Amino acid sequence: MYQTAKPLFFKVETPMHVGSGSDLGHIDLPIQREKHTDFPMVQSSSLKGALREHLEQNVSSLEDKIGVHLTFGYDNDGVDGKVKTFFEAKDNQDFAGALAFTDARLLLFPIKSYKGVFALLTCPQVIEKLYKELSLVCDYDKDVTDKFAGNWDISEDKAVLADSDFLGISGKVVLEEYAFNIDINEKNEKTMQDFAAKLSDFLDSKILSRLVVVSDDVFKDFTKLTTEVITRTKIQNDTGTVQSGALFTEEYLPAESYMYSLVAAHRIFQTTKQKNDEARQQQFPKNAANKPIRSAEDVRAFFKKHLKDIGQIGGSSTLGKGIVQFFKNQL
């Protein structure tokens, strides 16, 4: 069982494609989605791989390079000589990583708005899942969960706005080609105010005026039907024409989407023999007290220290896709 867990929020700065493979539908290369809700998501294996690569690119000292393997698990692929020497013995390679990641779930989804350019949509089901996960592993009180997740009552023709003056027009909010009545139910308005205030603890407060809560079914339809789908092809160098059979469509989660994952940490896994090997311990990265990292808190701090504000997740990186901004204040 992992000993500590914290939320990691991130914003999609450029359209992101974390693929689920080929598909028989109208999109050749769709993005990953939850099976039971059809909401976009990023599987934990994909997220962990991207974050490991991110750290590997951002550490330079031998100690920190070793630290990446200690925290994520040993990977023999592309290891430089000095790091490989540290893990040379078979007994030094067989251990579990000290970091774990949950699937990244969608929190806010951008939609064109008639006023204010775009809105950030969510729904009661997404909010409830967020606070349920936070209350389970991040020491959030259950009363907080109930307060923010259990008080919504939204019909499909209405929307609850955090700032009616910013997005609303004549009592309505127009999202894509659909007009929704602004919900003025006092209970929903109070719940929205509380939710927006709490969300500002995690994300940039500038987005709060764009918040819109719609019903679960409406949110599902928007996230299913309004993702970015682009057509790609290949041009033959010798003729300058499209190569036969090279046409395909690819789906992207749009820029301005917000997602979150839970980052869990465990102590560094070591045998008693390894713990007593002073020479080996001295090559570990050091914690704030200048001692080798060992505890779950050391592992979490190591990850936070080397996680930069900007990273890349998913495919098409050479096209500038998948650039994300991490919010590390809660780690």
Side-chain angles (χ1 to χ4, degrees):
M1 182 67 179
Y2 285 84
Q3 298 164 333
T4 182
K6 297 292 183 180
L8 173 64
F9 292 80
F10 61 92
K11 173 188 177 184
V12 179
E13 295 286 0
T14 63
M16 182 176 72
H17 175 82
V18 182
S20 60
S22 59
D23 191 77
L24 298 178
H26 70 284
I27 300 174
D28 297 313
L29 298 175
I31 58 176
Q32 295 175 357
R33 292 180 178 273
E34 294 179 348
K35 183 67 175 179
H36 60 298
T37 65
D38 228 12
F39 295 162
M41 53 90 78
V42 177
Q43 293 176 4
S44 56
S45 58
S46 301
L47 180 63
K48 182 179 180 181
L51 291 174
R52 177 180 188 134
E53 182 180 6
H54 176 84
L55 259 68
E56 287 175 338
Q57 293 174 346
N58 289 305
V59 297
S60 55
S61 70
L62 175 61
E63 287 183 352
D64 288 338
K65 290 179 180 179
I66 290 172
V68 173
H69 290 274
L70 291 172
T71 54
F72 280 87
Y74 180 68
D75 182 4
N76 192 49
D77 186 29
V79 179
D80 67 38
K82 292 182 179 180
V83 174
K84 185 172 290 187
T85 299
F86 181 86
F87 294 100
E88 188 172 18
K90 180 64 176 175
D91 291 345
N92 291 338
Q93 299 178 13
D94 295 335
F95 62 92
L99 281 171
F101 302 86
T102 64
D103 296 336
R105 302 185 187 279
L106 181 65
L107 177 60
L108 303 174
F109 186 79
I111 288 291
K112 287 190 297 184
S113 174
Y114 181 82
K115 185 181 179 184
V117 185
F118 72 95
L120 291 172
L121 262 62
T122 189
C123 68
Q125 182 172 321
V126 168
I127 298 170
E128 181 177 1
K129 185 64 177 177
L130 166 66
Y131 284 100
K132 183 176 292 185
E133 292 192 351
L134 293 179
S135 65
L136 286 174
V137 299
C138 300
D139 299 325
Y140 278 77
D141 191 274
K142 186 178 183 299
D143 291 340
V144 175
T145 304
D146 294 340
K147 182 178 181 182
F148 295 105
N151 291 329
W152 301 100
D153 181 17
I154 308 173
S155 60
E156 293 188 5
D157 63 334
K158 293 185 178 181
V160 183
L161 275 61
D163 188 342
S164 298
D165 293 333
F166 186 75
L167 294 174
I169 180 170
S170 300
K172 296 181 181 295
V173 58
V174 181
L175 307 173
E176 292 285 344
E177 66 268 36
Y178 304 101
F180 297 85
N181 295 316
I182 296 177
D183 193 319
I184 56 175
N185 179 291
E186 184 176 346
K187 184 176 70 172
N188 284 341
E189 288 185 331
K190 179 61 168 63
T191 306
M192 170 61 95
Q193 292 172 6
D194 292 338
F195 171 62
K198 192 61 186 176
L199 201 60
S200 64
D201 292 343
F202 304 128
L203 306 176
D204 187 347
S205 61
K206 294 178 181 179
I207 70 169
L208 299 183
S209 60
R210 300 187 184 277
L211 285 181
V212 177
V213 179
V214 294
S215 71
D216 296 339
D217 289 334
V218 169
F219 183 76
K220 177 182 177 180
D221 287 343
F222 274 127
T223 59
K224 184 69 174 177
L225 302 175
T226 60
T227 54
E228 292 189 23
V229 178
I230 67 171
T231 301
R232 296 180 58 186
T233 190
K234 181 178 180 180
I235 304 298
Q236 299 181 91
N237 291 334
D238 53 348
T239 65
T241 59
V242 175
Q243 179 175 314
S244 177
L247 193 69
F248 64 96
T249 55
E250 190 171 30
E251 185 180 21
Y252 289 87
L253 186 68
E256 304 295 338
S257 300
Y258 287 79
M259 307 187 81
Y260 71 94
S261 172
L262 300 180
V263 182
H266 193 282
R267 62 171 176 79
I268 297 292
F269 287 96
Q270 301 179 84
T271 64
T272 301
K273 179 181 177 181
Q274 290 169 340
K275 291 178 183 178
N276 295 331
D277 185 344
E278 289 297 327
R280 178 179 171 81
Q281 296 298 314
Q282 289 304 311
Q283 295 186 69
F284 275 46
K286 304 302 187 291
N287 61 19
N290 200 33
K291 295 181 179 180
I293 64 170
R294 291 192 179 94
S295 68
E297 180 60 26
D298 289 340
V299 170
R300 183 203 59 78
F302 176 83
F303 175 69
K304 182 176 181 178
K305 175 183 177 181
H306 295 290
L307 180 69
K308 305 302 181 184
D309 291 337
I310 301 296
Q312 195 277 333
I313 298 174
S316 302
S317 59
T318 58
L319 302 179
K321 305 297 186 182
I323 297 175
V324 301
Q325 176 187 357
F326 295 111
F327 296 90
K328 303 186 297 180
N329 57 315
Q330 294 292 322
L331 275 178

